[in-house]
Amino acid sequence: MRRLIGDVLLPRATAIALWAWVAFNLALVLWVGMQSLKDSGEVWLNPFSLPTDPHWDNYASAWRAAEFSAAALNSTVLTLLGSLLIVALSAPAAYVLARSNRRVAGPLTGYFAMGLSIPLQTLVIPIVVIKLSLYTFMEDWVTGWWDNRITLLVFQVILSLPFAVFVLTGYMRSLPHEIEEAAEIDGAGPLRAFVRIVLPVARPGVMTVLVLNIIGLWNETLLVLLISPLPEERTLPAALLNLYSSMQYSSDWGGLFAGIVILIYPMIVLYLWLGRRIVEGMTAGIGK
Amino acid sequence: MGAGTLIQAPPVAPPVKARALRPGRERAFWPFLLPALVAYTALFVAPSLFGFWVSLNAWAGPGSEMTWRGLDNYLALLSDDAFRTSFVNTFVLALAGGGLVFGFTFLSMMVLRHIKGRAFIRSVMFLPMIISMIAVGAAIGFLLNPEGVVNTALGWLGLDPQPWLGPDLVFRCIVGGLVWSSTGFYVALMMSAVDSIPAHIYEDAQIVGATRWEQFRHITLPLTWDVFAVSAVLWVVNSLKIFEIVLAFTTGGTPGSPPLQARTVAVQQYSLVAGNAIPQLGNAAAMGVVVLLVTAVLIALTRRITRRERVELS
């Protein structure tokens, strides 16, 4: 009896459940892709058949409907620029925190890690206030114009800093000491040694942080809704949310699915390409 | 990206006398650190403190007058039905969701060590982590629509269609969606710990005649308990800020405002700030501070509950 449950029933049932789970995930991703090529009637009537004749124009209509073109551009620029800035700020900081013998290095590392436990909710009000004040301040006193997307970029970068510094500090610590010593003997200054020697050696860790932030920023929604809610300023998740809530008036279901594909397929391609590294990065420093 | 949350800072290398004041990187210390340090302090830490200050006042935003309220905002939250509901919801989500997520994770840990295709299963289960919850909500919302596929299938089975995304059921669907999307992450986390358990321990257990379940209970779980303790903390932190999935599951039926039955604290706070009424920033800020406090308490509690003698491999 003990054997039957502990060795056969429980493991078997779990294995079947896991494969069902896997099948569901794969089916969902493929199904969304298929639905995006159907017209709205077909989406409803034959939700599980292959599209009879592919309606590529769904993409064109999604593109126009919720200003997806602007959103896609915003998402791409903000995501790439944001994740590069995050790395540019966090990598040098993590490097000196990990390698310095100064006594402040430890407490400062902890100071950055503290940010990981401050929930975004605590910052929601300050962020809204800063956004409004910054806009007025810049427009009235400095440049005469301001774009909330810049504020959005700033906060996307800042809020991602603790995690990036945390992961990179751990990573930099695992690098051999000899590398930059060799560089120094060759007479390279700190900046040169960092850019030419340390960064290339730390590339796997830096790439991981970069990719994780690309995924994180691409899917970010709350900040976008708070900081740049206007149609021409928002990013893809917010645009999709808008398309979805206007659904009962437009009922352009094919277009909705096209919007979903535009949002999720780029990340799936990234995952297919770098899958293991993404998983390892997200679980780094916690597992093992 | 909540991973890594609240794990104590990585240990700093002990000062090595012989290496002290390596000129290059020590000279670079402040120049390399300051940009990140200043940005983080000015735009993350200081605003958090400012948020606490706002929570003690009544305020409609920049340009309007701020009046001192002391703890009145917090007291008002206690008697605010909407806040109480969203607060309870957040708790239920954290507890029920956590039970399901770790239940599935434990079961997976029992078989994922030797099943065929284990790497594939792990990576496909992880997939929802990288997909926008807004997209998931829109896709699954279509399936759960009153005239959607799920209800059609129920009709074939002779069952009554259910208003899945209606106010009464939507919260359960949200819990389900949350469990579906997060379990893969915790499986990946726990399995990375399982991977480092030496195989011979399991071989010994098999010789003694332990079943798979017993191997899990007496070997796998005790030896991965540290990582589980951290995972539990992570779950708590992440579940308190659930936002997107609620919006995604409720937007289809009722544009604008999610029904009260489905709101989490994050959603409630957002509706308070982004709604059409005069913003009550003091109240909303108090919510944020409450979440911070609850996070801290829950973390302490989770740590306490999961604290055990560390099992060392000889």
Side-chain angles (χ1 to χ4, degrees):
Chain A
M1 192 59 201
R2 182 181 70 109
R3 220 137 258 286
L4 184 67
I5 294 176
D7 246 354
V8 183
L9 285 182
L10 215 48
R12 283 275 159 82
T14 309
I16 293 171
L18 287 181
W19 278 110
W21 196 306
V22 167
F24 177 79
N25 286 5
L26 293 178
L28 190 67
V29 168
L30 294 176
W31 174 75
V32 165
M34 266 164 34
Q35 292 287 74
S36 74
L37 295 177
K38 297 176 183 174
D39 68 34
S40 290
E42 219 185 337
V43 163
W44 276 104
L45 295 174
N46 306 313
F48 292 116
S49 64
L50 287 169
T52 41
D53 70 312
H55 281 264
W56 295 102
D57 53 316
N58 283 340
Y59 285 86
S61 80
W63 202 252
R64 285 189 307 269
E67 306 206 30
F68 255 58
S69 49
L73 188 66
N74 289 338
S75 272
T76 312
V77 172
L78 284 169
T79 302
L80 293 179
L81 206 59
S83 28
L84 284 175
L85 278 171
I86 291 166
V87 170
L89 278 175
S90 63
Y95 166 65
V96 290
L97 283 178
R99 293 311 189 88
S100 169
N101 296 326
R102 284 169 198 253
R103 214 166 281 151
V104 287
L108 281 174
T109 314
Y111 176 64
F112 275 105
M114 175 190 81
L116 290 167
S117 55
I118 297 179
L120 179 54
Q121 281 100 306
T122 316
L123 279 152
V124 162
I125 304 307
I127 285 175
V128 171
V129 170
I130 292 175
K131 164 211 155 177
L132 293 172
S133 325
L134 192 62
Y135 193 96
T136 332
F137 178 73
M138 294 308 275
E139 192 154 78
D140 291 355
W141 299 97
V142 188
T143 47
W145 68 276
W146 188 247
D147 194 316
N148 284 326
R149 280 169 288 194
I150 307 174
T151 318
L152 177 61
L153 178 72
V154 168
F155 278 105
Q156 286 189 329
V157 170
I158 299 294
L159 293 178
S160 314
L161 268 186
F163 180 70
V165 171
F166 177 79
V167 172
L168 282 177
T169 311
Y171 190 84
M172 299 278 186
R173 195 164 287 135
S174 70
L175 298 178
H177 275 275
E178 288 73 21
I179 48 166
E180 74 277 15
E181 282 162 20
E184 272 169 22
I185 291 167
D186 288 349
L191 187 63
R192 207 175 129 87
F194 178 71
V195 174
R196 302 292 292 274
I197 311 289
V198 177
L199 271 189
V201 177
R203 220 186 80 157
V206 172
M207 277 297 289
T208 302
V209 169
L210 195 68
V211 172
L212 289 182
N213 279 307
I214 289 177
I215 295 173
L217 295 190
W218 183 265
N219 292 331
E220 220 304 311
T221 313
L222 179 54
L223 275 184
V224 179
L225 293 179
L226 284 175
I227 298 179
S228 55
L230 294 176
E232 67 274 16
E233 289 177 347
R234 64 183 168 219
T235 59
L236 283 172
L240 184 70
L241 201 58
N242 195 257
L243 190 64
Y244 186 37
S245 61
S246 68
M247 211 62 225
Q248 59 240 73
Y249 313 111
S250 65
S251 17
D252 175 17
W253 289 91
L256 177 72
F257 280 98
I260 297 175
V261 168
I262 295 173
L263 182 56
I264 70 174
Y265 272 33
M267 292 302 107
I268 290 175
V269 170
L270 198 67
Y271 187 58
L272 287 177
W273 181 32
L274 297 164
R276 272 196 76 75
R277 174 164 294 166
I278 294 172
V279 179
E280 280 166 9
M282 280 198 192
T283 54
I286 304 165
K288 282 164 216 162
Chain B
M1 203 105 317
T5 314
L6 264 197
I7 324 311
Q8 55 282 62
V12 172
V16 184
K17 282 275 149 57
R19 288 186 197 282
L21 285 184
R22 176 90 30 221
R25 65 167 179 264
E26 293 298 353
R27 242 186 305 133
F29 188 80
W30 290 113
F32 275 30
L33 188 64
L34 273 180
L37 190 64
V38 169
Y40 170 69
T41 306
L43 293 165
F44 194 123
V45 179
S48 302
L49 297 174
F50 176 64
F52 179 65
W53 172 250
V54 173
S55 79
L56 300 173
N57 288 279
W59 198 32
S64 66
E65 198 155 336
M66 205 191 245
T67 45
W68 176 256
R69 292 200 66 190
L71 291 176
D72 285 0
N73 283 329
Y74 293 88
L75 294 175
L77 283 186
L78 283 179
S79 52
D80 176 7
D81 281 339
F83 174 75
R84 279 212 308 260
T85 312
S86 64
F87 196 74
V88 171
N89 277 347
T90 309
F91 255 108
V92 172
L93 209 57
L95 283 181
L100 288 169
V101 164
F102 286 106
F104 284 128
T105 304
F106 288 161
L107 285 173
S108 318
M109 285 162 70
M110 179 174 56
V111 298
L112 270 182
R113 225 168 41 80
H114 38 61
I115 195 177
K116 231 181 270 165
R118 50 189 172 263
F120 183 68
I121 295 180
R122 272 162 79 166
S123 51
V124 178
M125 280 183 83
F126 192 84
L127 187 67
M129 269 304 281
I130 61 155
I131 294 180
S132 161
M133 275 302 115
I134 303 289
V136 169
I140 296 193
F142 173 82
L143 294 172
L144 295 176
N145 214 280
E147 289 115 59
V149 179
V150 173
N151 276 342
T152 314
L154 284 181
W156 291 336
L157 296 173
L159 299 169
D160 291 334
Q162 301 288 327
W164 297 105
L165 300 178
D168 298 327
L169 285 176
V170 69
F171 191 63
R172 282 177 223 180
C173 293
I174 290 171
V175 175
L178 186 68
V179 171
W180 167 72
S181 65
S182 7
T183 300
F185 173 71
Y186 294 94
V187 168
L189 204 55
M190 293 300 291
M191 283 310 292
S192 73
V194 174
D195 285 343
S196 59
I197 300 175
H200 70 83
I201 298 184
Y202 289 102
E203 285 156 17
D204 293 351
Q206 260 161 354
I207 294 170
V208 186
T211 64
R212 288 275 158 75
W213 172 249
E214 287 162 344
Q215 290 174 29
F216 168 74
R217 267 205 50 201
H218 300 296
I219 302 173
T220 314
L221 195 57
L223 286 179
T224 54
W225 193 260
D226 285 2
V227 180
F228 169 63
V230 175
S231 305
V233 170
L234 264 186
W235 168 263
V236 166
V237 173
N238 287 335
S239 62
L240 287 180
K241 53 184 179 204
I242 282 161
F243 173 76
E244 272 109 334
I245 192 166
V246 177
L247 230 53
F249 272 72
T250 52
T251 301
T254 46
S257 110
L260 196 53
Q261 293 93 322
R263 283 189 202 174
T264 59
V265 176
V267 175
Q268 173 64 18
Q269 191 191 27
Y270 170 72
S271 350
L272 212 61
V273 180
N276 297 322
I278 297 169
Q280 298 185 314
L281 296 188
N283 266 25
M287 277 185 203
V289 176
V290 169
V291 174
L292 179 68
L293 293 177
V294 171
T295 308
V297 169
L298 281 183
I299 287 170
L301 215 62
T302 313
R303 283 226 165 130
R304 178 102 216 186
I305 294 170
T306 54
R307 193 168 62 191
R308 273 196 191 179
E309 282 297 288
R310 196 190 145 84
V311 182
E312 295 281 357
L313 287 178
S314 49

